[in-house]
């Protein structure tokens, strides 16, 4: 496809007709072809038409012929292949400088400031972010993805001027090649010069810009692909962040003028209380506002606080840190965690949020989302478009369709990898399961609301629109957990049939008694819980599972218990998994999955194997840092040039790839989001909020 695109590129039509097309419309193409074949027989005077624009003089005819010849040369495959080969064998550079417009603006601002003139700032100047690219040059073979994307963004914002520098060596060799290829033998000096002018015009006006666009396009494609890969990797680790289960959580959406929005959610995510506390206004830390927070924590026995990392996060963290140090919330042992609030504001005004929390102010919905993100990141983050979750690299510059396809796949993989509680999940989570879509997910939730909690997986077959194939695809990824499925959760109460009036023959009673049961009614009769539905074992493997249990002389009631684990280990010590699979008539991967499912405790969450969120009771400032200080932090984002680490000072520090020594990586190729690391402070730029770090160890 790349070769096809390359060959087709010269023939792409623009918004305006090309100079060659206009010349062809004047009928000059036969004359141009004759110049390239038998130039000495050409007489331009025969083409002159005094009354026609473009043909009214000898000069106009000559110009039109030149445009056609230049177009023919630029579209010739052999010529373009030669240019491509020449470019492959030379050092082509991508260069960027500060745009003239930006330079003039900066100079004017400095002059006005020098004269003491007050300048009205309409927009925050972000040009300083591109200082590294104000005089930048790199070979296109060595350009890093983040450099290409940064340059593209700077050019789009008119901060940078960008060009591809192709050495003159390419042009000189191209001209020598064209001189041999395009100038016919025995051409006179006039036509020889005319054709050479066309050769040079073809390169300057057509081929060189085409090659520059080609290199920019290829660099951007590679950079975008790399960016999507980084985003997908980071998103996967974020979605697999271990949940904070069994805790009441206070979510705080920080703010200055409009106050800090607060929401307290139960261990299962239900909203217990909401309020707004003005902690940063003129009455900062007033007893009344701080008491609101204290009462909410005490009344709901809440010891865990999730603070959003947006505006006023640092100030809000300082308030909570100070109150905790003064034991203001005693007897509660309160601790807090900084939670990413990326996408929370977008979600709070979405249709899904309105349906889920119809009576709640949109500002408070954001606080609820922050609290739930700590309790179960996967359940909450799937409600948000992945591109709005800030763990990528220039994701807003990537074509939306490419980004969506990749990230939706990652989300579905994570949901399937973890599994979902069928009696606790939302539509947004359920539709990410294999085989499900938005309509089927809604039907499952409606069935649950109408008939009560699911008692076993078989009941899914009674859901409208969920056929055998869909059931086969999704059944292994849903769980029926005992915590959320209890006998007190009312199933649909059986409706008492109306009495049929008695008749002399009694035939109506007999007819009423013979009413056929629907498929749904038959499935609803079988509502006995199946312990295997709490595991990752697929229903189609239940037969093999029971055979294995009989062989082990165990029951389903012992799943996840130490006796079951010891029995399986004892059995496998005497035979291999391969032999046992052959005896049971199943595949090795299927048997391994069954063995894992039987050994895992009921309610096992595979995310528990990953690093948990980092909780704090105190804080430090970037001004408190000193060079050489060794700190512990957690990786908050990764890119191709390094990893950003949350070290608890309100700003993430950067471990550049050059400061990640292999011997300190504990066998890992790269750091991953959520990794707990020990770092040393190398540099501090407090004014710009930049902290340089060196990796000491991966904990």
């Amino acid at each position: 496809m790349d070769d096809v695109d390359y060959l087709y590129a010269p023939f792409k039509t623009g918004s305006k007709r090309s100079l060659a097309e206009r010349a062809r419309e004047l009928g000059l193409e036969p004359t141009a072809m004759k110049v390239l074949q038998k130039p000495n027989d050409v007489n331009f005077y025969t083409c002159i038409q005094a009354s026609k624009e473009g043909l009214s003089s000898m000069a106009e005819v000559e110009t039109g012929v030149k445009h056609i010849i230049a177009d023919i040369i630029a579209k010739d495959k052999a010529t373009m292949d030669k240019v491509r080969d020449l470019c492959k064998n030379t050092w082509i550079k991508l260069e960027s400088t500060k745009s003239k417009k930006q330079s003039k603006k900066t100079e004017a601002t400095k002059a006005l400031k020098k004269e003491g003139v007050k300048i009205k700032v309409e927009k925050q100047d972000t040009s300083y972010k591109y200082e590294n690219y104000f005089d930048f040059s790199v070979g296109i073979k060595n350009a890093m993805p983040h450099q290409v994307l940064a340059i593209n963004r700077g050019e789009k914002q008119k901060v940078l001027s960008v060009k591809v520098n192709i050495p003159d060596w390419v042009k000189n060799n191209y001209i020598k090649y064209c001189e041999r290829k395009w100038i016919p033998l025995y051409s006179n000096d006039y036509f020889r010069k005319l054709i050479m002018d066309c050769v040079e015009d073809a390169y300057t006006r057509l081929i060189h810009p085409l090659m520059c666009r080609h290199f920019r396009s290829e660099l951007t494609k590679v950079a975008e692909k790399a960016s999507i890969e980084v985003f997908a990797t980071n998103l996967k680790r974020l979605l697999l962040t271990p949940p904070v289960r069994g805790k009441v959580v206070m979510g705080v959406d920080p703010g200055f003028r409009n106050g800090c929005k607060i929401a307290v959610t139960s261990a299962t995510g239900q909203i217990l209380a909401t309020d707004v506390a003005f902690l940063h206004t003129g009455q900062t830390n007033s007893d009344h506002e701080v008491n609101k927070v204290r009462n909410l924590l005490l009344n709901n026995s809440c010891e865990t606080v999730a603070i959003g990392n947006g505006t006023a996060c640092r100030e809000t963290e300082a308030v909570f840190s100070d109150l905790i140090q003064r034991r203001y919330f005693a007897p509660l042992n309160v601790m807090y965690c900084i939670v990413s609030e990326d996408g929370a504001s977008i979600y709070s005004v979405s249709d899904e949020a309105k349906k889920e929390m119809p009576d709640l102010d949109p500002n408070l919905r954001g606080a609820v989302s922050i609290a739930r993100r700590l309790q179960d990141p996967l359940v909450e983050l799937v409600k948000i478009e992945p591109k709005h979750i800030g763990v990528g690299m220039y994701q807003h510059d990537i074509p939306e369709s490419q980004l969506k396809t990749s990230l939706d796949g990652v989300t579905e993989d994570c949901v399937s990898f973890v599994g979902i509680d069928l009696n606790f999940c939302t539509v947004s989570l359920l539709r990410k399961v294999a085989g499900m879509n938005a309509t089927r997910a809604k039907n499952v939730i409606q069935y649950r609301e109408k008939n009560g909690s699911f008692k076993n997986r078989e009941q899914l077959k009674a859901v409208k629109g969920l056929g055998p194939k869909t059931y086969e695809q999704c059944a292994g990824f849903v769980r029926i957990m005992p915590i959320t499925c209890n006998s007190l959760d009312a199933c649909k109460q059986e409706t008492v049939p109306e009495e049929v009036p008695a008749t002399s023959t009694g035939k109506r009673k007999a007819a009423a008694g013979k009413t056929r049961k629907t498929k749904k009614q038959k499935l609803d009769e079988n509502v006995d819980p199946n312990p295997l539905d709490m595991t990752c074992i697929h229903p189609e493997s239940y037969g093999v599972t029971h055979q294995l249990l009989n062989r082990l002389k165990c029951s389903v009631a012992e799943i996840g218990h130490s006796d079951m684990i010891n029995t399986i280990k004892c059995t496998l010590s005497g035979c291999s998994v391969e032999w046992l699979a052959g005896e049971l008539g199943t595949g090795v991967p299927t048997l391994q999955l069954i063995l894992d499912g039987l050994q895992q405790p009921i309610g096992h969450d595979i995310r528990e194997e990953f690093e948990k969120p980092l909780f704090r009771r105190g804080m430090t400032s970037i001004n408190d840092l000193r060079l050489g200080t060794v700190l512990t932090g957690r990786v908050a984002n990764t890119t191709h040039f390094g990893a950003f680490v949350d070290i608890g000072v309100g700003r993430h520090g950067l471990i550049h790839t050059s400061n990640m020594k292999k011997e300190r990586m504990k066998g890992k190729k790269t750091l991953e989001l959520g990794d707990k690391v020990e770092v040393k402070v190398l540099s501090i730029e407090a004014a710009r909020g930049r902290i340089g770090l060196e990796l000491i160890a991966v904990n």
Side-chain angles (χ1 to χ4, degrees):
M1 280 303 295
D2 289 340
D3 290 337
V4 173
D5 290 341
Y6 183 80
L7 291 172
Y8 177 64
F11 299 91
K12 286 183 178 178
T13 55
S15 57
K16 297 180 180 179
R17 290 175 303 154
S18 67
L19 297 174
E21 286 172 349
R22 296 176 201 172
R24 286 188 175 100
E25 289 172 1
L26 294 171
L28 293 175
E29 187 166 20
T31 305
M33 295 302 297
K34 200 170 182 181
V35 169
L36 293 174
Q37 294 164 3
K38 296 179 180 180
N40 295 335
D41 296 341
V42 174
N43 185 353
F44 287 154
Y45 286 104
T46 60
C47 301
I48 296 175
Q49 297 179 27
S51 61
K52 198 167 186 178
E53 187 180 352
L55 299 175
S56 61
S57 67
M58 174 77 168
E60 287 186 353
V61 171
E62 184 179 318
T63 301
V65 170
K66 282 183 175 181
H67 288 156
I68 294 173
I69 294 174
D71 186 65
I72 291 170
I73 294 171
K75 291 179 178 177
D76 181 68
K77 182 180 182 301
T79 303
M80 291 305 299
D81 285 344
K82 180 64 177 178
V83 174
R84 180 192 280 187
D85 290 340
L86 290 170
C87 289
K88 282 181 180 177
N89 297 319
T90 190
W91 185 253
I92 298 172
K93 295 187 289 185
L94 178 68
E95 298 177 346
S96 67
T97 56
K98 193 173 185 179
S99 67
K100 291 181 180 178
K101 183 179 178 181
Q102 189 67 35
S103 298
K104 288 178 181 178
K105 186 178 177 181
T106 305
E107 288 172 9
T109 303
K110 285 181 179 177
L112 289 171
K113 282 184 177 178
K114 195 173 182 180
E115 293 173 9
V117 179
K118 289 186 178 180
I119 301 169
K120 184 180 179 182
V121 180
E122 295 179 359
K123 252 186 182 179
Q124 187 179 2
D125 183 17
T126 58
S127 61
Y128 70 89
K129 294 180 180 179
Y130 302 99
E131 286 180 355
N132 292 341
Y133 301 100
F134 284 171
D135 186 15
F136 180 79
S137 177
V138 65
I140 60 171
K141 294 177 183 177
N142 298 334
M144 299 296 289
H146 68 274
Q147 294 172 334
V148 174
L149 294 173
I151 287 172
N152 287 353
R153 182 182 286 185
E155 183 182 37
K156 189 177 180 181
Q157 295 178 1
K158 298 181 180 179
V159 176
L160 300 175
S161 294
V162 186
K163 71 173 184 176
V164 175
N165 189 341
I166 301 176
D168 291 339
W169 176 85
V170 173
K171 180 180 178 180
N172 296 335
N173 282 273
Y174 153 83
I175 289 174
K176 290 177 183 177
Y177 169 82
C178 289
E179 189 174 5
R180 296 192 300 271
K181 178 177 174 61
W182 294 103
I183 299 179
L185 292 173
Y186 311 114
S187 300
N188 60 40
D189 291 343
Y190 172 78
F191 285 108
R192 181 178 290 274
K193 182 179 182 304
L194 184 144
I195 294 173
M196 288 308 296
D197 288 344
C198 295
V199 167
E200 189 157 348
D201 178 52
Y203 182 84
T204 305
R205 185 169 56 85
L206 301 172
I207 295 175
H208 184 272
L210 176 66
M211 295 306 297
C212 290
R213 289 195 301 271
H214 170 72
F215 290 128
R216 288 288 302 275
S217 175
E218 288 301 307
L219 285 171
T220 300
K221 282 181 185 176
V222 172
E224 287 176 348
K225 184 180 177 183
S227 178
I228 290 172
E229 289 173 356
V230 168
F231 199 142
T233 302
N234 289 346
L235 178 64
K236 185 174 182 179
R237 285 302 299 262
L238 181 64
L239 293 176
L240 294 178
T241 302
V244 177
R245 296 196 184 280
K247 290 185 179 292
V248 177
V249 175
M250 172 183 282
V252 182
D253 185 2
F256 287 115
R257 183 180 300 176
N258 296 320
C260 296
K261 280 67 71 178
I262 299 173
V264 181
T265 58
S266 69
T268 57
Q270 301 300 313
I271 302 171
L272 300 177
T274 60
D275 207 336
V276 178
F278 294 87
L279 303 177
H280 312 299
T281 57
Q283 299 175 345
T284 305
N285 296 341
S286 66
D287 291 341
H288 176 68
E289 298 301 320
V290 173
N291 271 333
K292 283 184 184 178
V293 179
R294 184 173 185 273
N295 292 335
L296 284 171
L297 290 171
L298 291 173
N299 294 340
N300 296 284
S301 301
C302 175
E303 294 185 331
T304 307
V305 179
I307 302 174
N309 67 343
T311 305
C313 167
R314 190 67 185 154
E315 291 75 11
T316 304
E317 182 185 4
V319 171
F320 274 91
S321 175
D322 176 60
L323 295 173
I324 291 170
Q325 298 301 321
R326 293 195 282 118
R327 295 194 56 78
Y328 186 78
F329 304 122
L332 298 177
N333 187 21
V334 176
M335 55 185 175
Y336 66 86
C337 178
I338 304 300
V339 176
S340 171
E341 63 176 49
D342 290 323
S345 58
I346 295 173
Y347 164 71
S348 65
V349 293
S350 66
D351 292 336
E352 189 168 353
K354 291 174 185 175
K355 185 177 179 181
E356 188 180 355
M357 299 173 274
D359 301 324
L360 204 60
D361 183 271
N363 294 315
L364 293 170
R365 289 176 192 157
V368 174
S369 179
I370 289 169
R372 289 176 176 173
R373 286 185 188 197
L374 184 63
Q375 291 175 314
D376 197 328
L378 183 61
V379 173
E380 195 62 23
L381 290 175
V382 293
K383 301 175 184 177
I384 301 164
E385 284 290 328
K387 68 179 180 179
H388 296 306
I389 302 173
V391 291
M393 182 179 70
Y394 299 98
Q395 66 267 25
H396 294 289
D397 298 335
I398 308 299
E400 191 167 343
S401 58
Q402 293 180 28
L403 190 66
K404 189 176 187 304
T405 301
S406 175
L407 300 186
D408 283 351
V410 170
T411 306
E412 289 175 11
D413 288 346
C414 290
V415 171
S416 300
F417 181 67
V418 173
I420 63 170
D421 186 341
L422 197 54
N423 290 314
F424 184 68
C425 63
T426 59
V427 172
S428 54
L429 183 64
L430 188 58
R431 71 186 180 197
K432 299 294 183 182
V433 174
M436 286 289 184
N437 56 30
T439 303
R440 290 169 186 161
K442 286 177 183 176
N443 290 343
V444 171
I445 302 302
Q446 287 173 1
Y447 180 92
R448 187 178 72 194
E449 291 172 351
K450 184 178 179 182
N451 300 280
S453 65
F454 287 92
K455 297 299 185 292
N456 57 44
R457 287 170 172 166
E458 284 290 317
Q459 288 179 282
L460 276 172
K461 294 179 179 179
V463 176
K464 181 182 177 182
L466 208 151
K469 284 293 181 184
T470 304
Y471 175 77
E472 184 181 337
Q473 286 179 288
C474 73
F477 303 120
V478 298
R479 312 278 189 274
I480 311 292
M481 305 309 297
I483 298 174
T484 54
C485 172
N486 54 69
S487 57
L488 295 177
D489 187 9
C491 290
K492 182 186 177 183
Q493 295 182 354
E494 295 184 9
T495 55
V496 181
E498 294 182 8
E499 291 186 7
V500 181
T503 62
S504 57
T505 59
K507 290 181 180 179
R508 289 190 183 181
K509 281 188 178 182
K514 293 180 181 178
T515 303
R516 293 180 63 184
K517 293 181 180 179
T518 64
K519 175 186 173 183
K520 176 183 174 303
Q521 288 172 331
K522 289 179 181 178
L523 288 167
D524 283 349
E525 287 178 358
N526 179 25
V527 291
D528 295 329
N530 185 344
L532 291 177
D533 289 341
M534 306 173 196
T535 69
C536 60
I537 302 171
H538 196 282
E540 65 184 10
S541 301
Y542 284 180
V544 177
T545 304
H546 285 296
Q547 288 182 49
L548 177 62
L549 289 171
N550 291 335
R551 193 182 192 95
L552 298 174
K553 296 181 181 178
C554 295
S555 68
V556 290
E558 298 175 82
I559 293 175
H561 292 181
S562 56
D563 291 342
M564 173 76 78
I565 296 170
N566 293 333
T567 303
I568 290 175
K569 286 181 179 177
C570 183
T571 302
L572 292 178
S573 65
C575 65
S576 66
V577 176
E578 290 78 7
W579 180 86
L580 190 57
E583 286 291 302
L584 295 171
T586 189
V588 173
T590 301
L591 180 59
Q592 189 61 60
L593 184 66
I594 293 171
L595 291 169
D596 291 341
L598 293 176
Q599 294 179 83
Q600 291 170 351
I602 297 297
H604 171 74
D605 194 325
I606 200 165
R607 290 174 291 176
E608 297 294 340
E609 299 171 10
F610 297 98
E611 291 289 346
K612 295 183 179 179
L614 196 63
F615 288 95
R616 300 191 179 96
R617 289 190 174 85
M619 63 170 282
T620 55
S621 165
I622 189 172
N623 297 318
D624 299 328
L625 290 180
R626 295 291 179 270
L627 296 180
T629 304
V630 176
L631 302 164
T632 299
R634 192 174 303 285
V635 176
N637 199 0
T638 62
T639 65
H640 285 98
F641 56 85
F644 290 95
V645 181
D646 179 6
I647 53 175
V649 296
R651 287 281 186 175
H652 293 165
L654 172 65
I655 310 177
H656 194 270
T657 48
S658 60
N659 294 319
M660 296 181 192
K661 295 182 180 177
K662 289 184 179 180
E663 59 269 21
R664 297 176 180 176
M665 294 287 287
K666 289 190 175 180
K668 302 183 73 168
K669 290 183 179 180
T670 59
L671 291 176
E672 296 177 312
L673 193 141
D675 283 346
K676 194 174 180 181
V677 293
E678 194 173 325
V679 295
K680 182 170 77 173
V681 179
L682 293 181
S683 62
I684 305 167
E685 294 181 56
R688 299 174 69 184
R690 292 186 177 182
I691 306 166
L693 303 173
E694 179 185 1
L695 179 66
I696 301 299
V698 179
N699 297 329

